[in-house]
Amino acid sequence: MMANRSQTQVNPLLIALMLALVAALVAVATLPALRDIPFTNHAKDGHVDQAWNATIISARISSRRCTPIVAYACTRQTFVMCPVGSNLDDLWMGLIIGTANGEPAVVTGYAAPRSYWMKRVAGCLPVSYMP
């Protein structure tokens, strides 16, 4: 007699993906508000001469003066970004949040075409993050 194939088999890859999703959501959910995340030295000084640097971008996103605000959780970084002008413009500003001394830290911030940011977050998990 043949075994019943209707029994549900759990795919180990599916379980691993689900665990990664939960871990990413927990990591993003524990991020403090942008105004409470310290800046690395590079974030403070790295793009200071540019119109869109980490300080300006953080203030703009924190005050929700751009829309939509989108965020992606990647393995070691979280990207938070929004368009510089109207949604028809291709220029988006973004912050990269990583870690410094085991705590969340704004690593850098700058403006780039939307396509650049989408390549950076390819394979990352889109998340809901309110600054």
Side-chain angles (χ1 to χ4, degrees):
M1 189 174 208
M2 296 184 90
N4 185 353
R5 287 200 169 268
S6 67
Q7 293 176 337
T8 304
Q9 295 181 0
V10 179
N11 184 338
L13 180 59
L14 180 61
I15 291 172
L17 288 172
M18 289 173 57
L19 290 173
L21 172 66
V22 169
L25 290 175
V26 168
V28 171
T30 61
L31 279 176
L34 281 180
R35 66 183 169 276
D36 297 330
I37 300 175
F39 284 37
T40 63
N41 288 335
H42 176 76
K44 290 179 202 171
D45 304 327
H47 300 275
V48 72
D49 59 335
Q50 296 176 355
W52 298 105
N53 58 50
T55 303
I56 293 169
I57 295 168
S58 180
R60 188 150 179 187
I61 291 174
S62 292
S63 65
R64 294 179 175 87
R65 287 186 291 159
C66 58
T67 186
I69 297 171
V70 296
Y72 292 84
C74 304
T75 304
R76 296 181 179 261
Q77 298 171 320
T78 299
F79 292 80
V80 181
M81 61 195 107
C82 65
V84 167
S86 74
N87 212 10
L88 299 176
D89 294 335
D90 188 45
L91 192 63
W92 280 54
M93 58 185 141
L95 291 175
I96 301 173
I97 302 169
T99 57
N101 302 319
E103 298 292 326
V106 174
V107 176
T108 193
Y110 50 89
R114 184 178 186 280
S115 59
Y116 166 86
W117 291 111
M118 293 301 103
K119 287 178 189 170
R120 293 288 310 263
V121 299
C124 299
L125 180 67
V127 294
S128 175
Y129 177 66
M130 296 313 289

